[in-house]
Amino acid sequence: MGYEHYDNIIEPFLENVRLHPDRLACVCDDVTHTYQEMNVLTDRIARAFVDRGVTAGDRVAYLIPNSIELVGVYLAIQRIGAVAVPLNYRLISREIAFLTNAVDAKLLVFDKRFVDKVEAVLSDFESDLALMGVGTSTSFAPRLWDLASEAPIDPEVPLFKDPSALSRIQFTGGSTGLPKGACRTHRQDLTEIHACIASNGMLEMDHPIALIQCPLEHHGGHSWFMSALSSGATTVICGKFDPQNILSQIEQYGVTHMILLPPTTYLRLMRDEHVKDYDLSSVRIVQSAAGAMTPEVISEAFEVFPNTEVNYGWGQSESGTGTSIRITRDMVDRRVPELASVGTPMETLEVRIVDDEGLDVEEGQPGEAIVRSPAVMSGYYGQEELTRNAFTSDGWLRTGDIMRRDENGYLYLMTRKKDMIKSGGENVFINEVQTAILRNPLVADCVVFGTSDPVMGEAVAAVVQPVPGASLTAEDVQETCKQYIASYKKPRYVQFIDDLHRDDAGKVRLKDVIDYFDRKRAERK
């Protein structure tokens, strides 16, 4: 049985509060909370939100790094039927204001580390936006925990129940580079979480221990912490990548499931000089996603984690669920061709591979993957035209990814149809970077694309045409970007060219530009 009988995404968590009240639910550094303690924390925060006027359907944005506080805020939002709007904590001030206003948020909750970012754009927020600080109080925002600690815990805040109501707006992006908020209901997220648990096998043991070192505000991080809490697991939350900390916690807590992103992070962990000093035999599932997990890397994972399998796959915020393949040591030893795939569709997901006319292609031929599932989003918040364009006339979601399917049903990701770069686990949209670069008055033109990178897997690259006679450096271009977009979006590599040779239609031969970039990059090595 799935989660069809639940009406709120946090009901599986609440079931584990009843079944395992004294079991550790969340661990982050030296802070621990049992399931019952997480429930009390959730109720207090929910009451604080209600006291500030938040009601069912109101959007609550939060800007919080990986922490137990983030989990508590998310669960509290769901308890009262409000809509969670997780924000990437690496955003700059103007992006925070734009996205908060874009969803007509009633409340913004922010961590003490981001006080300066929020204060810088106070005048840009909608006038009725309420603010709360986590770990701090300011002249413009009370401290959340002061409000929450004053709230009684008896009786509990009533649980909101409506499976068709919005539970989350997950910001993603597309070829325009503009932010798009994927609207997800309780039913869609319940379907997704159930499929995720079936894929990663958290219910295959009585007490799973899940270590998460990827942003919890991302779709993947959200899927994993909610899968863990829905499975009665102990969730070990990590912040910035620290190999010694991760390795010691695997040993200390007996971690059974782990997810690190981007995939190249596994290489950094497995090649740490102290990795052999720790007992890592408890790990049963190493989770990764499309990109950088070659058979050689997977073989290395089996050496470091002797009892593991590698769960690998593909998915989107829009699709909710995705595809997966459980890779064993034997599969790697035999070098089965499916190792190059992203697996088969997870529970409830249907996948078609179609041509530009929307017709199914022949087996083995590439085409755009379109999907259908109860986990697929409802649409993009406040963007009707984009929503219409995202779906076919008969309701299939256009993923924008080119795939092929083999005779055994395995799917292979060929390329991204969307104008998007996946750099270090973050989506970076080309138009957004180009626009930022062109804000520099010494830049006449530019082209942005993704290039291979040994650390990031894929990195942002730019070929820039300066204004004639201008003196411009790569650092100048990067500093301009940092003024207008988050730092991780700036180009990691910059090359200069006298003329991009746009044609009369304003188009550039991208292949020629990339070839030029590759030659210049090789010359610098």
Side-chain angles (χ1 to χ4, degrees):
M1 176 184 287
Y3 287 166
E4 297 87 357
H5 56 297
Y6 291 132
D7 298 318
N8 186 303
I9 182 61
I10 72 168
E11 284 188 88
F13 158 72
L14 295 175
E15 180 69 9
N16 284 305
V17 172
R18 184 183 68 80
L19 294 173
H20 313 291
D22 298 323
R23 177 180 290 180
L24 274 184
C26 293
V27 176
C28 187
D29 296 327
D30 57 352
V31 180
T32 63
H33 278 57
T34 65
Y35 271 86
Q36 181 57 36
E37 288 168 341
M38 280 303 302
N39 187 47
V40 171
L41 177 67
T42 297
D43 185 70
R44 288 188 182 279
I45 297 173
R47 215 172 275 279
F49 289 168
V50 171
D51 290 345
R52 297 291 287 187
V54 179
T55 60
D58 286 339
R59 274 73 61 202
V60 178
Y62 53 87
L63 188 67
I64 308 172
N66 282 14
S67 59
I68 290 177
E69 289 87 347
L70 182 150
V71 176
V73 165
Y74 170 79
L75 295 174
I77 293 169
Q78 302 308 317
R79 184 188 285 275
I80 62 178
V83 182
V85 186
L87 298 179
N88 189 325
Y89 60 82
R90 298 172 72 180
L91 297 174
I92 63 173
S93 294
R94 66 178 67 199
E95 293 170 315
I96 293 166
F98 179 84
L99 296 183
T100 302
N101 291 337
V103 296
D104 306 307
K106 182 69 171 287
L107 171 66
L108 170 63
V109 184
F110 60 93
D111 186 80
K112 61 184 178 182
R113 279 166 274 193
F114 311 122
V115 170
D116 291 343
K117 284 186 177 184
V118 173
E119 187 171 18
V121 286
L122 284 177
S123 61
D124 295 336
F125 290 125
E126 300 295 340
S127 59
D128 59 348
L129 177 73
L131 297 165
M132 289 185 186
V134 176
T136 188
S137 61
T138 70
S139 60
F140 55 87
R143 183 172 178 263
L144 172 60
W145 304 136
D146 290 341
L147 302 173
S149 62
E150 297 169 359
I153 60 172
D154 188 27
E156 289 185 343
V157 174
L159 179 67
F160 173 87
K161 291 191 175 187
D162 181 353
S164 63
L166 276 187
S167 67
R168 178 167 55 116
I169 298 174
Q170 187 72 47
F171 276 109
T172 177
S175 59
T176 63
L178 296 173
K180 298 185 295 186
C183 294
R184 304 195 51 78
T185 67
H186 288 270
R187 171 61 58 227
Q188 289 158 359
D189 272 354
L190 282 163
T191 304
E192 175 215 332
I193 295 305
H194 186 264
C196 183
I197 292 171
S199 170
N200 62 35
M202 282 193 190
L203 287 180
E204 294 173 9
M205 53 187 63
D206 292 334
H207 183 186
I209 313 290
L211 183 144
I212 305 176
Q213 193 277 316
C214 65
L216 299 186
E217 85 275 0
H218 282 205
H219 180 71
H222 174 271
S223 292
W224 261 64
F225 85 72
M226 281 307 297
S227 292
L229 292 177
S230 299
S231 303
T234 295
T235 306
V236 181
I237 301 169
C238 299
K240 66 179 182 179
F241 178 74
D242 180 341
Q244 298 291 301
N245 183 50
I246 292 172
L247 292 168
S248 65
Q249 291 192 99
I250 292 173
E251 181 177 77
Q252 178 181 353
Y253 293 104
V255 167
T256 60
H257 294 66
M258 61 184 294
I259 179 170
L260 311 181
L261 288 176
T264 50
T265 308
Y266 282 109
L267 282 177
R268 297 169 63 194
L269 181 71
M270 295 187 299
R271 295 176 183 176
D272 184 84
E273 60 180 335
H274 299 292
V275 69
K276 294 186 181 298
D277 297 337
Y278 295 90
D279 180 1
L280 308 178
S281 60
S282 62
V283 178
R284 295 295 184 272
I285 290 291
V286 166
Q287 177 73 48
S288 188
M293 291 297 281
T294 64
E296 291 73 23
V297 173
I298 295 170
S299 293
E300 195 168 339
F302 289 137
E303 295 307 311
V304 173
F305 306 105
N307 297 315
T308 197
E309 294 180 347
V310 175
N311 199 41
Y312 180 79
W314 164 93
Q316 297 179 329
S317 301
E318 291 91 338
S319 64
T321 184
T323 66
S324 70
I325 177 172
R326 190 86 69 87
I327 301 172
T328 65
R329 187 187 299 266
D330 176 67
M331 292 169 66
V332 174
D333 291 343
R334 292 188 292 113
R335 286 295 195 269
V336 299
E338 291 82 8
L339 292 175
S341 78
V342 290
T344 56
M346 292 161 64
E347 285 189 5
T348 78
L349 187 73
E350 301 173 76
V351 180
R352 291 172 54 205
I353 309 298
V354 302
D355 60 20
D356 289 341
E357 304 302 319
L359 302 176
D360 292 275
V361 302
E362 294 183 4
E363 183 182 282
Q365 294 301 307
E368 182 180 6
I370 61 175
V371 302
R372 183 170 64 181
S373 164
V376 167
M377 69 167 185
S378 301
Y380 295 116
Y381 185 84
Q383 296 176 298
E384 294 182 5
E385 183 177 355
L386 284 177
T387 298
R388 285 195 300 271
N389 293 337
F391 291 90
T392 65
S393 59
D394 55 351
W396 291 72
L397 174 72
R398 306 179 196 273
T399 69
D401 285 334
I402 304 300
M403 297 187 184
R404 65 175 177 85
R405 192 195 321 256
D406 70 15
E407 66 276 11
N408 296 316
Y410 285 85
L411 294 158
Y412 298 77
L413 180 64
M414 311 296 290
T415 187
R416 292 181 175 90
K417 190 174 182 180
K418 297 177 181 178
D419 215 3
M420 186 264 284
I421 301 166
K422 192 82 168 182
S423 180
E426 303 279 5
N427 289 345
V428 181
F429 306 100
I430 286 175
N431 187 64
E432 187 179 25
V433 181
Q434 289 180 165
T435 300
I437 292 174
L438 291 170
R439 298 292 291 266
N440 188 312
L442 299 181
V443 173
D445 202 355
C446 68
V447 172
V448 174
F449 49 90
T451 189
S452 61
D453 182 81
V455 175
M456 311 297 285
E458 186 179 27
V460 182
V463 174
V464 175
Q465 178 182 323
V467 170
S471 178
L472 196 61
T473 67
E475 290 74 19
D476 294 334
V477 172
Q478 293 166 335
E479 285 301 315
T480 298
C481 287
K482 288 165 66 175
Q483 295 178 44
Y484 299 101
I485 54 178
S487 181
Y488 71 84
K489 301 177 184 178
K490 69 181 186 297
R492 186 176 178 88
Y493 301 98
V494 180
Q495 296 288 350
F496 295 94
I497 193 169
D498 291 335
D499 189 351
L500 284 168
H501 297 291
R502 289 190 182 272
D503 63 19
D504 291 341
K507 295 183 179 181
V508 170
R509 287 182 59 85
L510 183 59
K511 182 180 183 303
D512 291 349
V513 175
I514 293 176
D515 287 345
Y516 170 86
F517 171 85
D518 288 341
R519 288 197 306 273
K520 290 293 185 181
R521 185 179 177 185
E523 291 170 6
R524 294 170 65 95
K525 290 183 179 179

